[in-house]
Amino acid sequence: MQIKKINVSVLSGFIACTLAIKQPVLANETYDIKGESTSWGGSLSLGYDSNFFQESDYRSNRALSFHGSLYLSFWDSYSLYANSGGYRTLQHAEGYYSTDTVIGLSRSSLFTFGESGKVGMSGQFSIPTSEFSQDNHLNTAFRIQTPLSFTLLDIDMTVAPRIRKNFHQYTTSPSGTVNISWGLSLLLVANYSYDDAFFFASALGGTSINYNGRWADGYSYGGSLGAGYKLLENLSISLTFASSGVYTDAAQGTLGSFDIFDEAKATYSLGMTYSF
């Protein structure tokens, strides 16, 4: 259970560091904004992730996390990208843990609309380098998303529907639960810059279907809110607050619960990102 809590904290930090980099969509889907036929780049992020409990509290979880991404842009709007990361827990089961590695291909603009709107598409495979995926015998996963991006009142907005298909060696996990076969989600992102300062917010919600064809009883959701500052041309710092939860429909026999801030699940992350 402690590992699961740390995972939530660190992944929230990874999302925050990714959004902190000023790109049209996400850092792992960087596009050739200079109009060059071929270009490459990437980013390295280091973060300190924690929940809001005191260090003396048994519920306290803290970790150091890092994340790296690379991209290669070619033709007019295509990019190959890869990213991975890991974290070291500082409490309880101290040790190093890696996250899954992602390799994908994206196209930033299938078509455009209005003055700033465009619709893109990306597809990516996951390599099960994390302990969680390996324990559940995940062979790989494939995810497609179609981000719709536009600018409204100087705020860069992105709405990205996603669908993911998992490929496990077994339909059940070692604990006896049925593994997830399909995942459906919607990502909302907002970025705003003022001189060297930047602000960002994100929300992600979705549901899943297991290998028996059963839908999840509720909808999982998460969100982050943060701000950062560009120290140098390629170096920035950020502070992010994040939380997550599960919404259970009243039709399942309970009243719906949607907590914006849940102390037991809320985390914060101090991050530094170097882009190149």
Side-chain angles (χ1 to χ4, degrees), residues 3-240:
I3 292 178
K4 185 178 291 185
K5 290 182 180 179
I6 286 291
N7 280 338
V8 172
S9 173
V10 173
L11 291 179
S12 299
F14 284 168
I15 294 173
C17 291
T18 301
L19 296 179
I21 303 172
K22 292 188 284 187
Q23 298 289 352
V25 186
L26 300 180
N28 63 357
E29 293 164 342
T30 303
Y31 306 117
D32 183 13
I33 60 178
K34 297 180 180 179
E36 301 174 357
S37 57
T38 302
S39 64
W40 71 277
S43 66
L44 296 172
S45 299
L46 178 66
Y48 172 78
D49 303 288
S50 174
N51 58 15
F52 286 86
F53 295 106
Q54 297 292 329
E55 291 189 35
S56 58
D57 194 311
Y58 75 95
R59 295 168 294 180
S60 173
N61 280 307
R62 284 162 172 76
L64 291 176
S65 61
F66 66 88
H67 180 275
S69 65
L70 289 172
Y71 72 88
L72 173 67
S73 298
F74 56 96
W75 292 342
D76 290 334
S77 56
Y78 288 89
S79 289
L80 284 170
Y81 61 88
N83 66 74
S84 189
Y87 58 94
R88 178 174 178 80
T89 56
L90 303 178
Q91 292 179 287
H92 308 298
E94 295 186 19
Y96 168 79
Y97 303 90
S98 61
T99 59
D100 285 342
T101 300
V102 168
I103 299 176
L105 173 67
S106 65
R107 183 176 179 181
S108 61
S109 181
L110 294 174
F111 59 88
T112 61
F113 61 94
E115 296 182 355
S116 62
K118 62 181 179 180
V119 176
M121 176 174 285
S122 68
Q124 66 180 41
F125 283 97
S126 294
I127 302 174
T129 51
S130 70
E131 182 179 4
F132 178 82
S133 293
Q134 292 173 359
D135 288 346
N136 286 276
H137 304 286
L138 178 69
N139 293 323
T140 188
F142 181 68
R143 193 194 75 188
I144 295 178
Q145 74 168 7
T146 55
L148 183 154
S149 59
F150 56 93
T151 301
L152 180 64
L153 300 176
D154 294 327
I155 301 176
D156 296 327
M157 309 286 292
T158 298
V159 180
R162 295 173 164 182
I163 182 170
R164 170 178 167 131
K165 178 65 177 78
N166 294 323
F167 298 92
H168 290 87
Q169 184 176 355
Y170 306 105
T171 59
T172 57
S173 68
S175 63
T177 61
V178 182
N179 283 322
I180 299 300
S181 178
W182 292 91
L184 307 172
S185 59
L186 179 67
L187 174 67
L188 306 176
V189 179
N191 290 283
Y192 175 75
S193 300
Y194 182 79
D195 291 333
D196 289 330
F198 52 91
F199 308 88
F200 50 90
S202 69
L204 177 65
T207 187
S208 61
I209 308 172
N210 66 22
Y211 282 99
N212 288 343
R214 178 184 173 86
W215 289 78
D217 292 334
Y219 298 89
S220 60
Y221 63 89
S224 64
L225 181 66
Y229 188 80
K230 189 176 181 180
L231 298 174
L232 300 172
E233 181 65 25
N234 297 321
L235 185 66
S236 62
I237 58 174
S238 62
L239 172 63
T240 305

